[in-house]
Amino acid sequence: QVQLVESGGGLVQAGGSLRLSCAASGRTFSSYALGWFRQAPGKEREFVAAISRSGTSTVYADSVKGRFTISRDNAQNTVYLQMNSLKPEDTAVYYCAAGDKYIGSAWDYWGQGTQVSVST
């Protein structure tokens, strides 16, 4: 079992950057693939990015490709989401998740979310 806690959200102007962190408890962090999701008001939760257990493979939603970068530090039990060139449509609550595979995974564990707001 793993517990996830996100941080790093906030208010930023369009074109700015934020770096989200997700700290995990438990000694089996490296055995999980990790992902970031987001949910905007009135919309369904959507996939943003995911990373394999070793960190060597990543996948992104088309809407963030080239602007966002997911990474992980297994020694620090932390996964990151570097968000650059932010747009107002990136405004959402961002969640990290842990699962068995970084593609096609049934995500088993979720954090509580962190708010990202991008102003014009």
Side-chain angles (χ1 to χ4, degrees):
Q1 186 144 359
V2 61
Q3 293 182 327
L4 305 169
V5 179
E6 302 94 335
S7 62
L11 175 63
V12 64
Q13 286 189 329
S17 298
L18 280 174
R19 188 194 197 200
L20 304 183
S21 299
C22 176
S25 63
R27 292 173 289 181
T28 59
F29 178 79
S30 61
S31 67
Y32 291 98
L34 299 165
W36 285 97
F37 294 76
R38 67 187 181 186
Q39 186 167 21
K43 296 187 177 181
E44 293 186 353
R45 185 170 57 195
E46 65 175 0
F47 169 80
V48 175
I51 189 166
S52 62
R53 300 173 187 179
S54 65
T56 56
S57 299
T58 58
V59 61
Y60 297 91
D62 287 343
S63 58
V64 306
K65 202 171 294 182
R67 300 188 298 122
F68 290 11
T69 302
I70 186 172
S71 61
R72 66 188 294 166
D73 184 338
N74 285 344
Q76 297 295 324
N77 281 13
T78 303
V79 60
Y80 305 98
L81 185 68
Q82 178 66 44
M83 305 186 295
N84 299 328
S85 302
L86 282 161
K87 305 175 182 180
E89 51 263 43
D90 294 318
T91 295
V93 177
Y94 283 71
Y95 300 89
C96 68
D100 184 50
K101 301 176 182 178
Y102 79 107
I103 294 180
S105 179
W107 300 96
D108 299 315
Y109 304 102
W110 294 85
Q112 84 290 347
T114 186
Q115 176 70 47
V116 172
S117 299
V118 184
S119 63
T120 55

